[in-house]
Amino acid sequence: MLKLEGIHAHYGHIHALRGVSLQVPDGQIVSLLGSNGAGKSTTLKIISCLMRPKAGSFEIDGESMLSKSSSDLVARGIIHCPEGRRLFGEFTVEENLRIGAYKRKGGSEVEADIEKVCGYFPRLKERMRQRADTLSGGEQQMVAIGRSLMGRPKLLLLDEPSLGIAPKLVTEIFEILSQINAAGTSILLVEQNAYMAMKVSHYSYVLENGAVGLEGDSREMRDNDHVRKLYLGG
Ligand code: ATP
């Protein structure tokens, strides 16, 4: 279980997070929503230990992470799948996937995990030898998620997987996120696409100006007229 409590974070004089509290229980998909500049990426930076909060606590399974490093988090199975296309463009799909398993010695487990990733994303199987920078945006996103899965995450931190991707592929990717979750990986899903994120997640938080403005069971929030009007376009 990941838990943030009363997190404040600053960039110089900009007060980006103002007392953010949230939880990702084991086995769940939790979405973190909000418009541009609301503080979603900053929250992810705190969780990835790329930035230290000014105040508040950050715990995993009851242990404080405030003095830990990004590699401590990876060692605990928390893997950050970054926004967009940060793949090694000149490398093939397969090489990119193997990079995700760099902590492991290789051998049959890595091969089995590549097969598993291809099970989730069959279209990658046909493109194993293709250079990553020649893939469509949606396919690159699939490789990015696949590469994170190669690290066998307990908790996957996903930054805007729908960004700049055709709606049909977004639906496909979100369905696969449900399958990945059903196989035992918890997911913190950072999204601007509130409708899709609420559809796939168990619980949602909406950030507004660096604070949680609204939170609740995703299905209840989606069915709530007030939320629909404010966040889901009516
Ligand atoms: P987006 O969806 O546009 O990525 P976000 O919800 O992820 O937005 P953050 O990137 O966390 O929002 O930004 C929160 C606030 O902190 C914003 O006001 C932003 O301008 C500010 N901010 C973010 N990064 C920096 C930085 N490196 N230096 C100064 N201010 C920053």
Side-chain angles (χ1 to χ4, degrees):
M1 152 94 89
L2 177 150
K3 194 169 172 188
L4 295 183
E5 193 93 35
I7 294 286
H8 286 262
H10 297 252
Y11 297 98
H13 65 278
I14 295 171
H15 194 171
L17 298 183
R18 303 161 182 264
V20 170
S21 299
L22 64 81
Q23 298 185 1
V24 185
D26 288 344
Q28 291 208 356
I29 303 183
V30 171
S31 35
L32 182 60
L33 312 170
S35 51
N36 286 318
K40 304 180 298 297
S41 302
T42 307
T43 305
L44 268 194
K45 282 186 211 162
I46 299 280
I47 293 174
S48 303
C49 293
L50 295 171
M51 186 176 173
R52 302 280 178 218
K54 270 258 166 66
S57 66
F58 165 28
E59 293 179 352
I60 290 175
D61 298 333
E63 185 186 347
S64 175
M65 292 291 121
L66 289 180
S67 59
K68 305 283 186 193
S69 67
S70 298
S71 53
D72 291 328
L73 282 205
V74 174
R76 281 164 180 268
I78 299 178
I79 296 188
H80 187 166
C81 180
E83 178 179 357
R85 328 276 144 80
R86 287 201 229 144
L87 298 172
F88 295 98
E90 70 281 16
F91 289 2
T92 65
V93 168
E94 182 175 347
E95 286 163 344
N96 271 282
L97 292 180
R98 288 186 184 280
I99 288 165
Y102 75 99
K103 290 252 177 215
R104 309 217 306 266
K105 286 201 179 72
S108 61
E109 276 189 7
V110 172
E111 304 311 316
D113 285 357
I114 288 181
E115 277 304 307
K116 209 166 172 191
V117 168
C118 290
Y120 286 127
F121 301 109
R123 64 169 75 206
L124 295 187
K125 197 170 177 113
E126 309 147 21
R127 290 172 171 79
M128 276 294 158
R129 313 241 175 275
Q130 191 172 328
R131 269 176 67 133
D133 57 6
T134 63
L135 298 170
S136 77
E139 289 161 359
Q140 291 188 27
Q141 188 63 57
M142 291 175 182
V143 178
I145 296 171
R147 187 176 65 182
S148 301
L149 290 178
M150 293 297 293
R152 298 198 168 176
K154 259 175 63 186
L155 169 63
L156 192 56
L157 309 173
L158 273 176
D159 201 352
E160 307 254 8
S162 76
L163 199 73
I165 292 175
K168 201 168 152 261
L169 274 191
V170 172
T171 307
E172 193 177 322
I173 288 174
F174 276 62
E175 276 166 8
I176 291 161
L177 292 183
S178 280
Q179 293 172 25
I180 291 169
N181 173 247
T185 301
S186 314
I187 297 175
L188 177 63
L189 179 58
V190 174
E191 262 298 338
Q192 285 202 40
N193 188 334
Y195 182 77
M196 288 300 289
M198 283 181 185
K199 214 169 155 187
V200 78
S201 63
H202 299 94
Y203 199 87
S204 296
Y205 294 88
V206 182
L207 284 183
E208 291 166 5
N209 295 321
V212 174
L214 189 72
E215 66 177 279
D217 177 272
S218 298
R219 182 172 301 183
E220 283 172 17
M221 279 173 69
R222 236 172 7 118
D223 292 343
N224 180 312
D225 283 343
H226 178 66
V227 174
R228 290 170 85 95
K229 248 188 222 131
L230 272 180
Y231 302 104
L232 304 175

